[in-house]
Amino acid sequence: MIQHIVLFKFGASKELLDSFYSGVATLKEIEGVVDVNAGEHNNGYYNDYNYRSNGFAHVLHVTVEDKAALERYDKSEFHLDVKKKFILPCLDTDAPAPHVMAMDYESKLTK
């Protein structure tokens, strides 16, 4: 399995954020996508919580089956449409760049 993690700096209304969550949930329809999660950073989980997000407040976490599924996901017109309709409108372009940070990895931990 490959984990695709994307961090965002959003400056969006509640309506746009609700649209983001419902929009990215549909990414599960792409062949090879196993799971999709998204959420907002909470810097108050406990007293003296170490704020370390550098302005990134929202995350998208997509699990895909393998490298071929990641490529299919990345190049999918469906993915690009979700990005255009539900992600880009939420970006806070007034925030310091970068506004998006992404990485993909395969776990090196055994179960």
Side-chain angles (χ1 to χ4, degrees), residues 72-82:
R72 198 168 35 253
Y73 166 85
D74 191 43
K75 295 178 178 180
S76 163
E77 287 297 322
F78 190 86
H79 166 248
L80 297 174
D81 193 49
V82 167

Side-chain angles (χ1 to χ4, degrees), residues 9-23:
K9 292 180 183 176
F10 282 167
S13 67
K14 181 185 180 325
E15 292 78 20
L16 276 177
L17 288 174
D18 288 345
S19 181
F20 162 76
Y21 290 120
S22 62

Side-chain angles (χ1 to χ4, degrees), residues 24-64:
V24 298
T26 66
L27 292 169
K28 290 180 186 175
E29 297 175 24
I30 299 171
E31 181 187 350
V33 172
V34 176
D35 195 27
V36 176
N37 283 291
E40 184 174 358
H41 173 68
N42 181 341
N43 61 3
Y45 283 117
Y46 55 86
N47 287 340
D48 302 323
Y49 183 80
N50 181 14
Y51 181 76
R52 54 191 176 246
S53 71
N54 293 318
F56 292 97
H58 293 84
V59 63
L60 172 64
H61 178 191
V62 179
T63 303
V64 297

